[in-house]
Structure formats: structure tokens, C-alpha cells
């Protein structure tokens, strides 16, 4: 589970015959990532898939920054 300062907002738009779903991932109000999927069978499926992708992305982001802190390296430019 992501810390409380993370928020995910899901939106959708029609792209031809398909629906494109996207999730904006924000940390302390600032957008840090946008994830998207196309071809979900329902909005519920899209939200579930985007929530999973967002959790994995946040875990990777936090893991990467923890390892930089431990190695003495700072954030990349």
C-alpha cells in the first residue's frame, strides 16, 4: 500500500471504437506519472488494472529512491 501522500485519479476517453483509460499518479499534489490502458472489458476492470499498475509503479519508485538514499547517491537530473 502506498503512503497517504499518494493519490491516483482515473479518467477515460473514447479512441475510435475503444475506450482509453488513464491514471494520474500524484504525490503531495504534484503529478509524477501517468499510466494508461486500452482494451479493458469494463470500467471496473480498467480501474482494477490501473490500481495494480499504479501500486507497482509507486513501489518501484519508492524502492529506487530508498536505494539511492542508502548508497549516498542523489536523484538523477
Amino acid at each position: 500500500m502506498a503512503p497517504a501522500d499518494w493519490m491516483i485519479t482515473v479518467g477515460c476517453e473514447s479512441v475510435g471504437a475503444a475506450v482509453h483509460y488513464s491514471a494520474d499518479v500524484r504525490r503531495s499534489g504534484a503529478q509524477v506519472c501517468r499510466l494508461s490502458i486500452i482494451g479493458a472489458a469494463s470500467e471496473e476492470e480498467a480501474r482494477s488494472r490501473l490500481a495494480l499498475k499504479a501500486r507497482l509503479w509507486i513501489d518501484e519508485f519508492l524502492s529506487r529512491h530508498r536505494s539511492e538514499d542508502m548508497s549516498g547517491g542523489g536523484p538523477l537530473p
Side-chain angles (χ1 to χ4, degrees), residues 25-58:
V25 180
R26 299 178 179 276
R27 185 178 194 188
S28 300
Q31 184 172 338
V32 293
C33 177
R34 175 172 275 180
L35 303 167
S36 64
I37 60 169
I38 198 164
S42 66
E43 183 175 348
E44 183 179 333
E45 178 190 339
R47 288 182 176 278
S48 177
R49 288 172 53 190
L50 284 167
L52 176 59
K53 285 179 79 168
R55 281 192 299 270
L56 293 171
W57 188 92
I58 291 167

Side-chain angles (χ1 to χ4, degrees), residues 6-23:
W6 290 87
M7 177 188 277
I8 302 163
T9 307
V10 176
C12 67
E13 65 179 283
S14 294
V15 180
V19 179
H20 175 256
Y21 293 91
S22 62

